[in-house]
Amino acid sequence: MKYSFLDVGFTYTSLKEELDAAYHHVMDSGMYIGGDAVSAFESEFAAYCGADYSVGVGNGLEALILALRAMEIGDGDEVIVPANTFIATWLAASQAGATPVPVDADPVTMNIDIALIEAAITERTKAIMPVHLYGQPVKAEPLRQLAEKYDLKIIEDAAQAHGARDNNLRTGKLGHVAGFSFYPGKNLGAFGDGGGVVTDDAELADRIRLLGNYGSKVKYQHDEVGGNSRLDPMQAAMLSVKLRKLDEWNARRGEIASVYQEVLAETPGLTLPVLAEGVESSWHLFVVRNDDRQGLHQALLEQGVPTAMHYPIANHHSGAFRNEFGDQSYPVTEEICRTCLSLPIGPHLSLDQAGEIARIIDQVARERTKL
Ligand SMILES: *Cc1c(COP(=O)(O)O)cnc(C)c1O
């Protein structure tokens, strides 16, 4: 393949010396659970988001589950989730014991359609879990108004949107609490699993830390039924190094997105991503839509351009959820699943390469419209 869709190895080679030093620092410290590496990253990441607290946890899914548990959202409760999202958002609600209540996507932004949320609220609704999908923040103000009117919590699923902003506020500051994933392929990724919860609420941060550490604050004193979900100090040390590059790498993603927007503006059959007013995407993914998505994917592969699909099967059609939701219809989400195609984006690509990729896509798409 001439170009790669994603290259996590690039993030290692471009910071090798500092990452190797961080590794040796943790090994030499003798602290392999918790310790300074974790608390240092936690405060750096909270500061980066502009928030008061961040708590390292095992992964992004557990970040969301712990946020729900800490807010006592579970059995008998409903959590509003976007129909169009990675399955983890729905799983977080169901693993916490609550029922995910899907709301269809906005056909323009592909994020949750805010105009449809109010009709999905019932007496049992306790929270809205907006997903900043593909890196684009969901507008915070209309959610805040709904939260106030119906006494709901806003739990951001920010797994794809480290550093993205709405009205100059970063994700992690757009609701009551946010869950982040540090899965290697995310904008801020570790070299293994990792996750974080960000909030301004001191009590909530404490509770999440407790629940992720056997319900214990003082060793062998277990105040409640907790679990084990902690950020590995090795990963925390790596994340501290990579956090210093996040803005630069997000900026590169933004420049690549601009190249795509410009070169592909007139390409027949392609619907390009559109951002809502006032938001700044982290451009985790650049998702276009095309009616012959499978054909385009294959033709691009033959030209050395790998593409991917986020996501090819809607959650309500997945084996996990079709028993419960299979008879529901979320037409915009279904349309996105049928037509979406993610173009290569990331700091591993130069702007020249992005230009080459875009011209190949334009040419291939033009040829295919003649077929
Ligand atoms: C990656 C992702 C998650 C889950 O993160 P993990 O670290 O893999 O558990 C949750 N939500 C969304 C939208 C994601 O993209």
Side-chain angles (χ1 to χ4, degrees):
M1 197 58 48
K2 183 145 185 233
Y3 307 97
S4 41
F5 183 80
L6 175 75
D7 183 0
V8 242
F10 161 88
T11 65
Y12 176 49
T13 47
S14 59
L15 289 168
K16 190 172 182 338
E17 257 171 55
E18 288 167 78
L19 290 167
D20 288 351
Y23 163 83
H24 287 294
H25 186 78
V26 173
M27 290 309 278
D28 290 338
S29 75
M31 287 295 290
Y32 308 130
I33 291 287
D36 291 347
V38 175
S39 47
F41 173 70
E42 286 175 339
S43 24
E44 290 158 14
F45 191 62
Y48 175 85
C49 296
D52 291 340
Y53 306 96
S54 111
V55 180
V57 299
N59 56 59
L61 173 59
E62 288 172 353
L64 297 171
I65 296 172
L66 287 166
L68 287 163
R69 292 228 167 102
M71 288 173 152
E72 314 264 346
I73 298 170
D75 284 347
D77 298 331
E78 291 176 356
V79 177
I80 290 182
V81 296
N84 185 40
T85 180
F86 179 59
I87 197 164
T89 320
W90 289 37
L91 288 174
S94 63
Q95 298 266 301
T99 304
V101 174
V103 166
D104 205 1
D106 176 324
V108 176
T109 64
M110 299 187 271
N111 265 331
I112 191 167
D113 190 338
I114 296 172
L116 301 180
I117 293 178
E118 194 159 18
I121 295 173
T122 72
E123 304 234 292
R124 297 181 153 197
T125 310
K126 289 287 154 54
I128 305 173
M129 202 178 264
V131 180
H132 309 307
L133 199 66
Y134 313 141
Q136 167 163 204
V138 176
K139 293 298 291 179
E141 188 48 36
L143 293 183
R144 214 171 354 252
Q145 286 171 15
L146 286 171
E148 224 160 83
K149 184 166 168 192
Y150 294 98
D151 191 22
L152 308 175
K153 301 294 186 192
I154 304 291
I155 304 168
E156 301 172 67
D157 179 342
Q160 304 189 356
H162 319 70
R165 291 184 173 98
D166 174 37
N167 274 335
N168 289 319
L169 283 184
R170 295 233 203 239
T171 59
K173 281 292 277 189
L174 303 178
H176 297 102
V177 58
F180 287 85
S181 165
F182 304 123
Y183 178 83
K186 310 288 186 179
N187 290 47
L188 178 62
F191 296 91
D193 276 313
V197 181
V198 170
T199 183
D200 283 339
D201 182 334
E203 242 173 85
L204 189 64
D206 260 2
R207 184 103 206 280
I208 286 165
R209 194 180 293 287
L210 195 78
L211 289 173
N213 189 38
Y214 294 113
S216 168
K217 214 179 215 170
V218 178
K219 205 161 191 182
Y220 303 128
Q221 184 183 313
H222 303 279
D223 304 327
E224 52 181 311
V225 180
N228 178 357
S229 183
R230 302 180 289 223
L231 180 62
D232 183 323
M234 194 70 76
Q235 302 304 340
M238 305 281 155
L239 286 164
S240 283
V241 173
K242 289 180 82 177
L243 180 59
R244 300 198 277 273
K245 277 276 189 190
L246 180 57
D247 281 341
E248 184 188 322
W249 285 346
N250 277 351
R252 169 69 67 79
R253 289 171 181 274
E255 286 161 8
I256 294 170
S258 303
V259 170
Y260 287 164
Q261 296 278 15
E262 202 177 302
V263 179
L264 301 172
E266 308 293 329
T267 307
L270 277 198
T271 305
L272 299 179
V274 174
L275 299 185
E277 193 73 29
V279 307
E280 210 178 293
S281 180
S282 67
W283 291 108
H284 177 60
L285 293 167
F286 190 95
V287 177
V288 303
R289 280 170 284 171
N290 179 264
D291 267 333
D292 176 30
R293 175 266 305 276
Q294 205 58 42
L296 184 58
H297 166 76
Q298 193 54 40
L300 287 172
L301 211 51
E302 284 158 23
Q303 299 299 316
V305 175
T307 55
M309 289 141 211
H310 298 89
Y311 297 89
I313 300 168
N315 293 319
H316 62 289
H317 291 155
S318 70
F321 286 108
R322 73 175 162 239
N323 285 346
E324 212 175 332
F325 297 97
D327 59 349
Q328 313 263 346
S329 142
Y330 306 101
V332 179
T333 297
E334 287 160 20
E335 169 79 6
I336 293 169
C337 292
R338 189 179 65 76
T339 59
C340 66
L341 195 66
S342 307
L343 309 187
I345 194 164
H348 64 290
L349 292 171
S350 69
L351 294 189
D352 285 346
Q353 287 176 312
E356 290 161 26
I357 291 169
R359 281 183 288 277
I360 294 171
I361 294 169
D362 180 60
Q363 198 176 0
V364 168
R366 277 177 202 284
E367 278 160 18
R368 294 194 66 77
T369 55
K370 290 186 220 137
L371 293 180

